[in-house]
Structure formats: structure tokens, C-alpha cells
């Protein structure tokens, strides 16, 4: 015999009151080129998808490089040249490296070189070094950056789509960070 709660649940589902079904976002063949703050796919071919608990466990147990790819906002164009400007503060996963602006769908030659050199440095030249990419929740930039790392030949790429929101919601600490300068 079906319980009263189960009958109510079936009734709600039958009437469509359980809310809209969330459509699965397909994994594109190429990089996302715009609308970066949108629902992301659940997968990334060639990479492992991880959550906050898994990232934290990896950081505690093994050598892993955690990389934030959030863009750094540019200095406002209308700001007078003599005005001191401080970009907004960024609190990150402690120990992570902030490689700003490498998650766009298309990178300039300068940014592509910066990203390749930075990955070479943080991986100590080991293509099998564990690399975890993140940004904000529902942000394609970390997906793009992780995909790019896979295409560069890195074999231990992890993508953390929950980003800083999931990290903070899990109760893990954050630390003020600054991006690695483009040289």
C-alpha cells in the first residue's frame, strides 16, 4: 500500500507542481565564446569533474595545483589617469593561483602565451601534475580553461564547476588573492 506522503508526491509530480525540469546542458565541441555566466555542462571530456569536498580532500592529501581563472576587471576607461584605482578584492581558495582572464573563449596570442607559461611553471613541467580549475558557480570560464589545459596535453585536469560559491557554502576558508601578472 502506498503511503499518504507518496500519494501526495505522485500527485504533485503529475500536476507539474514539482517545478520545471532542469535541461541538461550539452558539452560543446569548442570553447564557449560568450554569456559566460550561465548553466554549464555536467562534464568536460578529458577532465574529471569535482566538488568542494573533493577539492578540499585533494589539497589535504596530495600535491595539487588549484587555479582560479576569474577575469580581473580592467581599470575604468573614464577614470582620470591620476586617480588611484584598486580592483575589487578577490577571496580565493587558500593556496590557489589566480590566472586572470585565461577563461575566455578566444585568447589573444599574449594571453595564450601567458597561460601556457603559467601552466608550465605551476606544473613544474609535468603534464601529469594535478590541476584544478575553478571560477564562480555557473561560469564557463573555468570550463574553457580546463578544456584548454586538456588540449595542451595535461592529463590530470580537474574542473570544479561549483567555484567559490560551493567552496564557501561548504564552510571552507578563503583568503585574499591577487592575480599573477601578465609579463
Amino acid at each position: 500500500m502506498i503511503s499518504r506522503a507518496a500519494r501526495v508526491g505522485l500527485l504533485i509530480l503529475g500536476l507539474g507542481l514539482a517545478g520545471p525540469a532542469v535541461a541538461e546542458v550539452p558539452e560543446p565541441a569548442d570553447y564557449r565564446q560568450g554569456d559566460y555566466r550561465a548553466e554549464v555542462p555536467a562534464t568536460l571530456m578529458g577532465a574529471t569533474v569535482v566538488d568542494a569536498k573533493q577539492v578540499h580532500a585533494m589539497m589535504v592529501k596530495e600535491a595539487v595545483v588549484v587555479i582560479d581563472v576569474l577575469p580581473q576587471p580592467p581599470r575604468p576607461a573614464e577614470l582620470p589617469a591620476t586617480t588611484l584605482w584598486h580592483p575589487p578584492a578577490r577571496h580565493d581558495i587558500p593556496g590557489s593561483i589566480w590566472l586572470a582572464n585565461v577563461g575566455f573563449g578566444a585568447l589573444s596570442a599574449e594571453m595564450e602565451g601567458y597561460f601556457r607559461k603559467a601552466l608550465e611553471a605551476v606544473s613544474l613541467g609535468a603534464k601529469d601534475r594535478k590541476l584544478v580549475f575553478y571560477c564562480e558557480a555557473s561560469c564557463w570560464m573555468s570550463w574553457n580553461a580546463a578544456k584548454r589545459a586538456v588540449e595542451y596535453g595535461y592529463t590530470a585536469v580537474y574542473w570544479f564547476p561549483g567555484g567559490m560559491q560551493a567552496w564557501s557554502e561548504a564552510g571552507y576558508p578563503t583568503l585574499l588573492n591577487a592575480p599573477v601578472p601578465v609579463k
Side-chain angles (χ1 to χ4, degrees):
M1 176 145 216
I2 239 174
S3 71
R4 183 176 191 278
R7 284 193 309 260
V8 169
L10 288 172
L11 179 63
I12 289 171
L13 287 173
L15 294 175
L17 300 177
V22 177
E24 188 172 313
V25 176
E27 185 175 330
D30 204 1
Y31 300 108
R32 177 75 169 230
Q33 296 296 325
D35 193 20
Y36 297 110
R37 292 303 302 266
E39 289 302 313
V40 294
T43 60
L44 173 51
M45 191 179 309
T48 302
V49 180
V50 291
D51 62 21
K53 185 176 180 179
Q54 291 168 308
V55 173
H56 184 264
M58 289 169 68
M59 292 176 72
V60 168
K61 294 179 183 174
E62 54 197 302
V64 61
V65 180
V66 183
I67 302 168
D68 181 6
V69 300
L70 182 77
Q72 184 178 33
R75 178 185 176 91
E78 69 279 355
L79 200 62
T82 57
T83 303
L84 184 61
W85 179 72
H86 294 285
R90 172 73 172 164
H91 284 83
D92 266 336
I93 296 172
S96 66
I97 297 162
W98 184 9
L99 300 179
N101 306 320
V102 298
F104 289 104
L107 296 181
S108 67
E110 178 186 29
M111 287 309 296
E112 174 108 17
Y114 162 78
F115 191 38
R116 282 183 182 271
K117 285 179 190 173
L119 290 181
E120 176 75 18
V122 301
S123 70
L124 304 175
K127 294 278 187 168
D128 62 348
R129 172 83 58 184
K130 291 184 177 183
L131 305 174
V132 177
F133 292 90
Y134 76 97
C135 186
E136 300 292 318
S138 297
C139 181
W140 280 86
M141 293 201 163
S142 58
W143 190 92
N144 281 344
K147 178 178 179 66
R148 201 167 264 120
V150 168
E151 290 181 357
Y152 292 166
Y154 289 89
T155 59
V157 175
Y158 294 82
W159 174 46
F160 175 30
M164 282 310 299
Q165 287 78 2
W167 182 263
S168 295
E169 287 169 9
Y172 297 125
T174 63
L175 190 63
L176 190 61
N177 204 357
V180 174
V182 176
K183 293 179 184 177

